[in-house]
Amino acid sequence: MPDPADRRIAVVMTTFDRCAGVLATLPRLLALPERPEVVVVDDASPDATAQQVARHFPQVRLVRAPRNLGSAARNLGVAAVDAPYVAFADDDSWWEPGALRRAADVLDAHPNVGLLAAAIDVGVDGGREDPTNALLAASPLVRTDLPGPEVLGFVACGAVVRREAFLAVGGFAERMHIGGEEELLALDLRSAGWRSVHVAGVRARHAPDATGERPGRRRRTTRNRLWTAWLRRPAGSALRVTGETLVHAARDPAARAGVVEAVRDLPRVLGERSPVLPDVEADLRRVARAERSSSTP
């Protein structure tokens, strides 16, 4: 007899124009012992992703985005489920057996936690750890009432969210699309009183395409770093982030394109500006200092 389905948690996968990846990854999610509900959000793919998922995986709930939403497509998947917790997956990522049950247990035990950032193993066989694991584990924001170090950033394909918290803050911002979109959500969760924590015992697997970075990724990451700073950081910190970004962009054409794109929308961004409270800004500075210290030889 298979294990009973764990109705506490669902998985939301988003995909755009990568049909082969979706068809290869879905069996891994459907084979998990937790037997979670799996939702695929097709982000207006021009290929046959939606048709192929419907044909080969009728047990999966398929949601079709009305247009290409990027990271905000995940919002549609979260809204479509009833489970209190939602784990994210990309079309090239999945979860280790038992990880979702452990995540749900942690969230059950800590009602103030809005997001759990897992450890991520890279490669089909998990040959190496994602470098982000060390950054998350080294966070200086340690509290005795939390199940792991508090973090103010995460990797979306290794995150489990409390559905209530995620929807209350609006999920992923559509303006960010893809590329460094996580920081704004992490700050909004913290500003709303929710905690995000890293739990190394919960593990996801990521097997990115060997062809490397998708076109436009660095441009969008640069743009989103600036937008996040301008939207949520106090003036002094926003100016410091802007200066650091301009120095980097001076030697990176893709980053320069991101700066131009960010500046183009600056008036509207400033109209939406809502800086974090001083305690959140203080923690951001603590994390930045710790990261600089760890990278110093």
Side-chain angles (χ1 to χ4, degrees), residues 126-168:
R128 60 188 175 87
E129 291 209 4
D130 190 294
T132 309
N133 293 350
L135 290 175
L136 297 175
S139 170
L141 309 180
V142 177
R143 291 174 32 152
T144 58
D145 63 330
L146 293 176
E150 185 175 6
V151 294
L152 294 172
F154 60 95
V155 178
C157 69
V160 182
V161 297
R162 188 179 300 272
R163 182 175 182 270
E164 170 195 1
F166 181 87
L167 294 177

Side-chain angles (χ1 to χ4, degrees), residues 92-277:
D92 58 1
S93 75
W94 57 96
W95 292 85
E96 294 287 3
L100 299 184
R101 182 165 286 119
R102 287 193 289 274
D105 289 344
V106 169
L107 291 167
D108 278 350
H110 299 274
N112 62 334
V113 172
L115 184 145
L116 186 155
I120 300 175
D121 297 315
V122 179
V124 173
D125 298 319
R128 60 188 175 87
E129 291 209 4
D130 190 294
T132 309
N133 293 350
L135 290 175
L136 297 175
S139 170
L141 309 180
V142 177
R143 291 174 32 152
T144 58
D145 63 330
L146 293 176
E150 185 175 6
V151 294
L152 294 172
F154 60 95
V155 178
C157 69
V160 182
V161 297
R162 188 179 300 272
R163 182 175 182 270
E164 170 195 1
F166 181 87
L167 294 177
V169 300
F172 288 98
E174 186 175 344
R175 69 158 49 250
M176 297 292 183
H177 206 263
I178 291 288
E181 70 275 10
E182 295 95 342
E183 184 183 3
L184 182 61
L185 175 60
L187 294 180
D188 287 348
L189 284 168
R190 172 64 185 275
S191 295
W194 299 99
R195 302 288 171 167
S196 299
V197 299
H198 173 57
V199 179
V202 177
R203 305 194 77 89
R205 185 77 58 85
H206 185 205
D209 193 326
T211 58
E213 187 176 77
R214 285 192 178 189
R217 182 82 179 196
R218 289 206 312 283
R219 170 181 57 80
R220 292 191 298 269
T221 300
T222 301
R223 178 200 66 191
N224 289 347
R225 183 168 187 255
L226 288 172
W227 279 351
T228 299
W230 298 342
L231 285 164
R232 296 291 183 263
R233 304 295 296 272
S237 294
L239 287 172
R240 185 174 62 255
V241 171
T242 301
E244 293 169 353
T245 304
L246 290 175
V247 169
H248 173 70
R251 56 183 184 271
D252 184 345
R256 285 200 296 275
V259 171
V260 170
E261 190 171 336
V263 170
R264 191 178 295 135
D265 206 32
L266 179 57
R268 188 165 58 167
V269 171
L270 293 180
E272 300 170 4
R273 182 170 161 77
S274 179
V276 297
L277 294 173

Side-chain angles (χ1 to χ4, degrees), residues 6-10 37 78 81-86 161 163-164:
D6 193 331
R7 299 301 181 193
R8 296 175 297 170
I9 194 160
E37 179 182 11
V78 175
V81 302
D82 294 322
Y85 313 132
V86 180
V161 297
R163 182 175 182 270
E164 170 195 1

